[in-house]
Amino acid sequence: MSRTARLFQLMQALRSLPPPATAGRLAEEMCVSQRTIYRDIDSLRGLGAVIDGEAGFGYTLIEDASLPPLGFEGDELEALVLGLREVMAVGDPALAKAADGALSKLRARLPEGQAHRLRHAVLTASRFNPPPAPTVDAHELRCAAWEERRVRFDYADAVGAKTQREVDPLSIVYMQMSHCLLAWCHLRADFRAFRLDRMQNLSVLEQSFRPRRVAMLRDYLAQMRAQSPDKRC
């Protein structure tokens, strides 16, 4: 790991771990020695991060120089907490981790009064019956959609019939009972929605459909609004 990457990782650990984070805990989190932690703490301070604490007592990130000043109204903070905790409750593992990291960054950067309100927000989100977990790598699928690259996967429909599909991925929709990929299906030559928990053996292909994703998604959403019930695969 490069020194720059290690410093970024240390900043994230300081944002995420309950303060004060001891050098031993930070070293365990990052798989480095405590001596490296002490040296990197000094480097971060030299770069402008305000980190309270010292060896033997632990460290608390007071001001994060890598984030610009932020200011939110009370209801804006509640909305952010609610949205991020909803993602943590229903998102795939990579997205849930990203939401937790974003919440930690906000908490580290906000003034103490707003950080207190963030930590003790009135609103929260919980799911007693979360959607089924995706059976493919949802992060890889999101990247393919963003890069506008065709994907291939095995798919089982509602009655268990299996097909192999090649599709142009357009968007992932987090619905009440499932996560669905909206896509152009080359097998059916039409738009289709695919549940992520019925997909297997995802492969990202070399074929690109750039720059048509936004226009195709707009057309599909218009078609869905016009249909009742929505078209299923």
Side-chain angles (χ1 to χ4, degrees), residues 1-15 26 29-32 36-37 40-41 43-44 47 66 105:
M1 180 187 301
S2 70
R3 180 173 178 273
T4 300
R6 194 176 69 244
L7 291 177
F8 276 116
Q9 185 177 341
L10 178 56
M11 285 294 289
Q12 182 58 26
L14 287 167
R15 296 179 189 118
L26 291 166
E29 180 79 9
M30 297 180 57
C31 300
V32 298
T36 298
I37 294 297
D40 287 350
I41 289 288
S43 296
L44 289 174
L47 292 170
S66 68
K105 290 178 182 179

Side-chain angles (χ1 to χ4, degrees), residues 90-99 133-149 151 169 171-172 174 179 181 196 199 202-204:
V90 305
D92 60 84
L95 205 58
K97 182 178 180 180
T135 49
V136 294
D137 187 336
H139 173 73
E140 185 177 23
L141 190 57
R142 286 196 300 274
C143 290
W146 183 252
E147 294 169 2
E148 298 177 71
R149 291 174 60 186
V151 299
S171 179
I172 297 175
Y174 288 79
H179 303 160
L181 170 69
L196 270 60
M199 298 165 61
L202 175 70
S203 297
V204 180

